[in-house]
């Protein structure tokens, strides 16, 4: 039972590496004891739970299904953390800017360093090559079908000739009787 509780706590907390990095950035010249780091981690986790729960209640009261940034800001007010709102809004704007930059920067065309006209030309060449290959495949298939038909016709003709030959031999045999 104790292990399950430990696992749940790990899943619901900030990664230790991220916390250590934040501490180092905020207080670079001060050593922080492991017990203090653990306490900070627990406080951060509890704060997040508290704000999340309050934002969820506000969201539910508005009959919304998704917690929006406005719900989180309202939760900060409701819980008496209004002084954090300005920083939270600044972080939100920064996060939106980074996300927009990632979306814009994730365009493969821009990252290739090849002009769009050149890429279009290459694409057209590939399409032309694919069409030619497809035509060749279709032509081979038509030839195979024609060959199969010719073989079938030859077989039928041979069978017909054999049948006629057999019939004429039977007729010849009848003459000798």
């Amino acid at each position: 039972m104790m292990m399950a509780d430990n696992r749940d706590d790990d899943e619901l907390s900030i990664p230790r590496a991220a916390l250590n990095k934040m501490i180092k950035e905020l207080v670079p010249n001060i050593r922080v004891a492991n017990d203090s780091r653990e306490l900070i981690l627990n406080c951060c986790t509890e704060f997040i739970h508290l704000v999340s729960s309050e934002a969820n209640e506000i969201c539910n009261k508005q009959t919304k299904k998704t917690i929006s940034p406005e719900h989180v800001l309202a939760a900060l007010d409701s819980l008496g953390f209004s002084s954090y709102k300005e920083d939270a809004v600044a972080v939100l704007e920064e996060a939106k800017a980074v996300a927009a930059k990632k979306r814009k920067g994730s365009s493969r065309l821009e990252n290739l360093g090849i002009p769009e006209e050149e890429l279009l030309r290459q694409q057209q060449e590939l399409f032309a090559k694919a069409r030619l290959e497809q035509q060749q495949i279709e032509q081979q298939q038509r030839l195979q079908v024609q060959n199969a038909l010719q073989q079938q016709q030859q077989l039928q003709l041979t069978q017909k000739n054999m049948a006629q030959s057999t019939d004429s031999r039977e007729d010849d045999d009848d003459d000798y009787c």
Side-chain angles (χ1 to χ4, degrees), residues 48-61:
I48 291 168
H49 283 281
L50 183 65
V51 173
S52 298
S53 296
E54 185 66 20
N56 187 45
E57 284 183 32
I58 292 169
C59 180
N60 287 335
K61 285 178 187 173

Side-chain angles (χ1 to χ4, degrees), residues 160-174:
K160 184 178 177 183
N161 287 341
M162 287 177 62
Q164 286 176 350
S165 172
T166 305
D167 285 347
S168 68
R169 276 192 223 140
E170 286 176 5
D171 287 344
D172 289 346
D173 288 345
D174 288 344

Side-chain angles (χ1 to χ4, degrees), residues 74-89:
L76 289 174
D77 275 339
S78 174
L79 294 169
F81 296 112
S82 299
S83 60
Y84 291 136
K85 273 181 67 173
E86 190 176 314
D87 290 333
V89 170

Side-chain angles (χ1 to χ4, degrees), residues 5-38:
D5 288 347
N6 244 355
R7 192 185 71 226
D8 288 343
D9 286 345
D10 288 344
E11 289 177 359
L12 299 175
S13 67
I14 298 170
R16 292 192 190 317
L19 179 72
N20 290 337
K21 183 179 177 186
M22 285 192 295
I23 291 171
K24 193 162 200 93
E25 287 174 2
L26 292 171
V27 286
N29 300 324
I30 298 176
R31 289 189 59 202
V32 180
N34 285 337
D35 289 349
S36 298
R37 288 176 191 271
E38 192 66 30

Side-chain angles (χ1 to χ4, degrees), residues 115-125:
E116 191 171 344
E117 295 80 24
E118 174 63 16
L119 290 172
L120 184 58
R121 186 191 63 74
Q122 290 177 5
Q123 182 184 39
Q124 288 170 346
E125 283 179 11

